[in-house]
């Protein structure tokens, strides 16, 4: 792998050029962190809740309050769902081919598959 | 499948403008580069609150104070979006904070300059946020999905920051002689550090650029810097002020502004920790973290205790 990334971009100062302490002291213990929550926001009445991001909070009430402050400062939402990230189960992207393949060859599920005479309206 | 094939497939996706998501296979160096860049970006937002926080209690009017508080609150939010994006790559929040405090992880050097007068709030908004926006607009198309989505949200909020900064300077530029002088002084002090925000010149790098190939970055430092100079050189005319560069001149042939040489010694010095405020900034962050420890701990224990006594939903509703 090419690890010699030599450009120094804004917000991306490489470790060897940074000076100072170069090693993590590893004091951090992620077990001490507040749990991670996923946040879903309904932007307006009639629409689905949509995933907007995540945040840390000790419980659901705090997660909703924090989500209000972090994700809806400009009227982006009228309803918030939060769920602890550990309860979200995801499909495996490596299995995407076999998982979605059965939908691939069933064109007859789409209305455009059916050729009708021009005289047929409202269909 | 061999690693080699994974890498070929990965590059295919990148070349086909397909975003990479957190559970997708990615080369270790891609993961590492993203963690480093996103966490440093997050730190920049958080440390970036400090020079402005300095002026909240000294804003010249209630209106300016309310605006400044809203801007600083946005920056806290931006830091959180970015920390969350980095966490999807398998690092933890505490790890990132710890790396900031230990000096392992960096933040944008611009925040190691002091904010001396009220006019600095205008100059920071116009120049510093202006430079950041160019970088961030480009990053909306970065190849890592969670980073790109965070940037889209940030860009939507950021343009208010730059506009309020320019407007602050505009008001000063039409004020008394003292206010005009203060406006020009702030521009003089923030101009060169703002140009440094884009990083070293492209010619400094002889190696092929992996970040560009992986589409983490999509424009070079010099391209972005030129774009910024061209914009600011026109905008300054509206303020009736001058950018502190004798070499700044429209080049008809290139259709760009030429500009003077950046003091790269100063740049590396500030990066390495010898800027005017490096110590102060890091101390402020550590102090906030340490003094908040009892709150973090108490809230955690309270939540655990509450959950064990009453495992109901604690005042919140069922989602569906």
């Amino acid at each position: 792998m090419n690890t010699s990334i030599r450009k120094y971009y804004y917000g991306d100062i490489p470790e060897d050029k940074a000076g100072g302490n170069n090693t993590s002291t590893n004091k951090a213990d992620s077990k001490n962190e507040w749990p991670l929550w996923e946040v879903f926001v309904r932007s307006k009445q009639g629409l689905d809740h949509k995933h907007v991001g995540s945040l840390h909070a000790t419980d659901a009430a705090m997660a909703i309050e924090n989500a209000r402050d972090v994700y809806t400062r400009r009227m982006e939402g009228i309803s918030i769902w939060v769920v602890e990230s550990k309860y979200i189960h995801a499909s495996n992207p490596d299995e995407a081919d076999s998982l979605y393949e059965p939908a691939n060859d069933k064109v007859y599920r789409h209305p455009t598959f059916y050729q009708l005479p021009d005289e047929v309206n409202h269909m | 499948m061999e690693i080699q094939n994974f890498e070929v497939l990965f590059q295919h996706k990148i070349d086909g403008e397909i975003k990479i998501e957190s559970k997708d296979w990615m080369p270790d160096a891609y993961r590492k580069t993203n963690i480093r860049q996103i966490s440093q970006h997050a730190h920049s937002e958080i440390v970036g609150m400090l020079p402005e926080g300095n002026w909240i209690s000294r804003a010249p009017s209630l209106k300016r104070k309310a605006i400044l508080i809203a801007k600083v609150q946005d920056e806290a939010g931006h830091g959180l979006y970015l920390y969350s994006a980095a966490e999807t790559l398998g690092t933890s929040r505490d790890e990132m904070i710890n790396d900031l405090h230990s000096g392992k992880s960096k933040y944008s050097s611009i925040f190691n300059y002091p904010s001396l007068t009220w006019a600095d709030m205008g100059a920071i908004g116009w120049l510093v946020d202006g430079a950041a926006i160019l970088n961030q607009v480009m990053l909306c198309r970065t190849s890592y999905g969670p980073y790109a989505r965070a940037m889209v949200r940030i860009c939507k909020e950021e343009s208010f920051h730059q506009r309020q900064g320019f407007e602050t300077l505009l008001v000063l530029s039409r004020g008394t002689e003292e206010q005009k002088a203060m406006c020009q002084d702030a521009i003089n002090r923030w101009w060169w550090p703002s140009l440094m925000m884009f990083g070293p010149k492209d010619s400094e790098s002889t190696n092929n650029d992996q970040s560009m190939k992986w589409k983490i970055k999509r424009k070079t430092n010099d391209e972005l810097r030129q774009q910024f100079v061209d914009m600011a050189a026109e905008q300054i005319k509206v303020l009736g002020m001058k950018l502190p560069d004798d070499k700044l001149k429209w080049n008809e042939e290139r259709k760009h502004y030429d500009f003077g040489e950046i003091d790269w010694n100063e740049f590396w010095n500030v990066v390495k920790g010898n800027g005017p405020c490096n110590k102060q900034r890091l101390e402020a962050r550590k102090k906030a973290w340490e003094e908040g420890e009892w709150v973090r701990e108490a809230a955690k224990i309270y939540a655990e205790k509450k959950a064990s006594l009453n495992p109901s939903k604690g005042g919140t509703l069922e989602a569906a």
Side-chain angles (χ1 to χ4, degrees):
Chain A
M1 213 44 249
N2 184 351
T3 50
S4 51
I5 296 159
R6 288 289 296 274
K7 272 205 182 150
Y8 317 121
Y9 294 113
Y10 166 54
D12 182 28
I13 296 153
E15 284 154 21
D16 60 325
K17 284 274 194 175
N21 192 345
N22 213 356
T23 48
S24 176
T25 51
N26 254 338
K27 228 170 39 187
D29 177 4
S30 58
K31 285 196 292 291
N32 262 329
E33 280 181 4
W34 292 349
L36 190 65
W37 299 73
E38 299 301 321
V39 181
F40 301 81
V41 169
R42 187 202 294 283
S43 58
K44 66 183 227 204
Q45 207 71 15
L47 296 182
D48 291 324
H49 284 77
K50 201 176 146 209
H51 184 242
V52 292
S54 56
L55 49 77
H56 291 273
T58 55
D59 61 16
M62 190 200 271
I64 287 177
E65 271 178 33
N66 289 355
R68 193 259 330 254
D69 290 343
V70 178
Y71 292 106
T72 64
R73 285 194 303 282
R74 288 180 175 77
M75 316 281 292
E76 291 94 337
I78 49 128
S79 163
I80 296 171
W81 286 353
V82 292
V83 59
E84 242 190 284
S85 309
K86 67 178 180 190
Y87 294 121
I88 303 241
H89 300 264
S91 61
N92 183 348
D94 296 340
E95 291 166 3
D97 284 352
S98 58
L99 203 57
Y100 306 112
E101 188 278 329
N104 219 0
D105 59 354
K106 296 179 180 59
V107 281
Y108 47 84
R109 282 182 172 155
H110 298 278
T112 45
F113 178 75
Y114 304 92
Q115 299 295 321
L116 300 182
D118 288 347
E119 306 90 271
V120 182
N121 292 321
H122 307 296
M123 198 180 284
Chain B
M1 218 184 305
E2 285 170 31
I3 293 280
Q4 202 61 37
N5 291 345
F6 277 122
E7 269 170 27
V8 170
L9 284 176
F10 178 82
Q11 192 60 48
H12 259 297
K13 262 177 156 176
I14 300 270
D15 294 342
E17 297 293 336
I18 295 171
K19 296 276 184 239
I20 306 303
E21 297 294 343
S22 64
K23 297 270 188 279
D24 295 346
W25 186 91
M26 62 186 86
D28 274 350
Y30 178 85
R31 185 184 299 275
K32 257 188 87 181
T33 304
N34 265 297
I35 289 177
R36 190 182 64 216
Q37 186 174 325
I38 300 169
S39 65
Q40 287 180 170
H41 199 156
H43 298 328
S44 299
E45 297 283 352
I46 299 299
V47 178
M49 293 193 284
L50 296 172
E52 290 174 317
N54 187 33
W55 281 92
I56 289 177
S57 59
R58 288 176 249 182
S61 68
L62 188 57
K63 176 183 126 182
R64 293 293 173 188
K65 184 173 180 168
I67 292 171
L68 194 54
I69 290 173
K71 181 173 187 288
V72 170
Q73 193 190 12
D74 272 354
E75 275 145 18
H78 297 174
L80 289 174
Y81 302 155
L82 288 161
Y83 281 130
S84 299
E87 280 170 277
T88 64
L89 288 161
T91 182
S92 77
R93 183 78 58 96
D94 281 2
E95 223 172 309
M96 289 185 272
I97 305 256
N98 195 45
D99 284 349
L100 171 68
H101 294 173
S102 77
K104 185 189 175 207
S105 186
K106 296 285 147 182
Y107 53 88
S108 181
S109 277
I110 192 84
F111 303 116
N112 291 319
Y113 291 86
S115 50
L116 302 178
T117 70
W118 170 252
D120 287 24
M121 295 303 98
I124 289 175
W126 176 42
L127 296 173
V128 176
D129 290 311
I133 287 170
L134 286 183
N135 187 59
Q136 290 169 337
V137 165
M138 167 196 72
L139 286 171
C140 289
R141 298 190 301 122
T142 192
S143 59
Y144 186 56
Y147 193 19
R149 291 192 288 275
M151 289 323 305
V152 169
R153 199 170 298 121
I154 288 171
C155 283
K156 272 188 204 158
E157 300 181 351
E158 195 84 42
S159 79
F160 128 66
H161 296 185
Q162 196 191 10
R163 288 174 70 101
Q164 69 83 33
F166 192 82
E167 196 234 1
T168 297
L169 292 181
L170 195 62
V171 170
L172 290 173
S173 74
R174 291 171 179 172
T176 64
E177 285 310 309
E178 285 88 347
Q179 287 171 325
K180 284 181 192 170
M182 190 163 84
C183 179
Q184 182 63 60
D185 169 63
I187 292 168
N188 290 349
R189 282 182 291 108
W190 288 96
W191 173 248
W192 290 105
S194 299
L195 290 192
M196 293 176 199
M197 283 174 70
F198 297 98
K201 284 194 285 194
D202 296 345
S203 55
E204 299 272 298
S205 166
T206 46
N207 286 23
N208 74 331
D209 188 358
Q210 191 67 64
S211 269
M212 294 286 271
K213 196 173 155 225
W214 278 335
K215 296 188 181 173
I216 296 173
K217 299 287 282 192
R218 314 192 61 134
K219 283 182 181 174
T220 70
N221 298 356
D222 285 343
E223 278 174 321
L224 287 169
R225 187 164 19 237
Q226 182 69 61
Q227 209 181 334
F228 178 71
V229 170
D230 289 347
M231 271 169 32
E234 290 299 317
Q235 290 164 346
I236 190 91
K237 293 176 186 167
V238 182
L239 293 175
M241 298 280 142
K242 276 190 75 173
L243 293 174
D245 181 357
D246 298 337
K247 300 220 170 70
L248 187 77
K249 205 177 151 221
W250 177 253
N251 182 330
E252 184 57 33
E253 210 171 296
R254 291 200 310 128
K255 300 281 177 209
H256 286 295
Y257 276 90
D258 291 335
F259 55 99
E261 189 61 43
I262 289 167
D263 180 352
W264 294 110
N265 274 340
E266 176 182 331
F267 173 78
W268 286 116
N269 247 322
V270 182
V271 167
K272 285 179 176 151
N274 305 321
C277 298
N278 294 56
K279 271 221 174 85
Q280 193 184 331
R281 301 291 185 235
L282 217 48
E283 289 305 317
R285 286 313 313 152
K286 282 191 217 166
K287 184 165 175 267
W289 180 254
E290 279 157 17
E291 289 181 356
E293 186 165 5
W294 71 271
V295 180
R296 292 193 298 277
E297 217 166 285
K300 192 169 176 243
I301 292 166
Y302 174 72
E304 282 163 7
K305 198 168 162 190
K306 212 170 55 170
S308 69
L309 289 176
N310 176 18
S312 76
K313 308 223 76 169
T316 60
L317 303 172
E318 299 266 349

